[in-house]
Amino acid sequence: MENSESNNRTLIVDGMALLFRAYYAQSYGGYIRKTSDGTPTNAIFGFIHYLFDAIKEFQPTHLLCCWDLGSSTFRNEMYSSYKANRAEAPEELIPQFGLVKDVVDSLGIPNFGVPGFEADDCIGTIAYQISSETEVLILTGDHDMLQLVTDKISVIIMKKGKSNYQVYTPVSLWDEKELHPSQIVDMKAFMGDTADNYPGVRGIGEKTAHKLIKEYGSVLGVLENLEQLPASIKLKIESNTDMLYLSKDLATIKVDVPIECVLDECHWKINRTSALQKFEELEFSSLIKLIG
């Protein structure tokens, strides 16, 4: 993807998505890369590969990374079972959570995160804040982010394999899914999310949810036309209206988190000295070529 000097392009990296993806890719087969003192580094090693591959592919002028800080957020207060089905992070990954932020910082890339909010909310807020100044690309594996797509904000979904990306704009989102960005949330409100452990409307899956949204436009549109629906669907919705509203709230990425991003402070220029020091510390000799 070409980028002219006069045209700012900011890559916002979903740090958690990249780190988890890297951990599982790099521990496939049971081998965990470690430093000579026993510190696990496999996820960070893979994270750096993913990061530099995306930088090469999308040529950003500006770059930043967002993270979850702590396990509990305002969504847990809204719904105590939110993400309650998530397994504990693998033991070898835990020490890498803090260390990867040090690595990102050593590269000269700002880290962002706010306690009580998810990385998604920080990404959404910053994307909206800066999109009047720059084209925004969000790098993630999380399809929930598609709700953030606008004419100035694209979402890059990392797919299986190296350098395999799908870039979503309002046009490509409609072409593939026949949904507008805001309707991603309405879909989740009906079908729920097993990964995040909220049910939506019990008995309504993706196919029915899509049909409802396509016909009536939104959750509100469906509720205003309940009498038009088959009796079984109507009953399911009426029996789960509270959860429908709650699921919509849980699925909605906040864009008003108390966080501020100054675009000038995110200008991408690698800090080679500190990056080299950190790579040597982590025994990443094979990655030094990436930092020039």
Side-chain angles (χ1 to χ4, degrees), residues 97-125:
F97 285 132
L99 199 49
V100 71
K101 291 175 203 156
D102 294 340
V103 172
V104 169
D105 187 56
S106 78
L107 290 165
I109 302 168
N111 289 303
F112 289 89
V114 179
F117 296 92
E118 293 181 41
D120 297 20
D121 303 306
C122 297
I123 290 168
T125 299

Side-chain angles (χ1 to χ4, degrees), residues 21-231:
R21 177 180 287 258
Y23 175 82
Y24 289 109
Q26 290 289 323
S27 59
Y28 183 76
Y31 170 72
I32 302 287
R33 170 186 282 270
K34 294 180 180 177
T35 59
S36 51
D37 70 0
T39 304
T41 57
N42 66 315
I44 300 168
F45 186 86
F47 178 97
I48 293 166
H49 269 294
Y50 285 142
L51 177 64
F52 276 89
D53 190 72
I55 290 169
K56 182 181 176 185
E57 179 76 18
F58 297 103
Q59 298 287 308
T61 55
H62 296 74
L63 191 56
L64 62 113
C65 203
C66 291
W67 303 93
D68 292 340
L69 297 182
S71 56
S72 185
T73 70
F74 73 95
R75 290 184 180 85
N76 300 101
E77 294 170 17
M78 290 168 62
Y79 183 55
S80 61
S81 297
Y82 182 71
K83 291 192 176 179
N85 59 337
R86 293 277 176 102
E88 289 292 315
E91 189 179 338
E92 294 91 350
L93 181 55
I94 292 169
Q96 299 184 69
F97 285 132
L99 199 49
V100 71
K101 291 175 203 156
D102 294 340
V103 172
V104 169
D105 187 56
S106 78
L107 290 165
I109 302 168
N111 289 303
F112 289 89
V114 179
F117 296 92
E118 293 181 41
D120 297 20
D121 303 306
C122 297
I123 290 168
T125 299
I126 291 172
Y128 273 52
Q129 275 180 12
I130 66 176
S131 63
S132 61
E133 306 173 68
T134 176
E135 177 189 358
V136 177
L137 301 175
I138 297 169
L139 180 67
T140 184
D142 184 357
H143 285 74
D144 290 356
M145 295 282 195
L146 297 178
Q147 66 187 268
L148 298 173
V149 167
T150 69
D151 289 335
K152 292 295 298 276
I153 301 170
S154 301
V155 171
I156 306 164
I157 297 292
M158 300 175 69
K159 305 185 81 172
K160 281 187 177 174
K162 194 178 177 216
S163 307
N164 190 6
Y165 304 102
Q166 186 151 4
V167 181
Y168 285 95
T169 63
V171 172
S172 64
L173 180 61
W174 179 262
D175 286 347
E176 183 184 313
K177 300 182 183 289
E178 293 191 328
L179 292 170
H180 298 297
S182 64
Q183 293 175 321
I184 298 292
V185 178
D186 294 291
M187 282 281 292
K188 296 287 289 290
F190 280 108
M191 60 187 274
D193 187 322
T194 52
D196 287 343
N197 201 44
Y198 58 88
V201 175
R202 293 190 188 280
I204 291 185
E206 183 174 5
K207 194 173 175 184
T208 303
H210 191 272
K211 188 177 177 185
L212 290 169
I213 298 305
K214 199 160 185 294
E215 191 155 352
Y216 300 107
S218 65
V219 166
L220 185 59
V222 173
L223 292 173
E224 287 174 344
N225 289 278
L226 281 178
E227 299 307 318
Q228 316 297 321
L229 302 180

Side-chain angles (χ1 to χ4, degrees), residues 9-12 60-65 108-112 126 130 260-269:
R9 175 182 294 143
T10 300
L11 184 66
I12 302 179
T61 55
H62 296 74
L63 191 56
L64 62 113
C65 203
I109 302 168
N111 289 303
F112 289 89
I126 291 172
I130 66 176
E260 188 176 352
C261 174
V262 178
L263 191 60
D264 285 349
E265 294 173 4
C266 301
H267 190 268
W268 169 232
K269 187 172 191 291

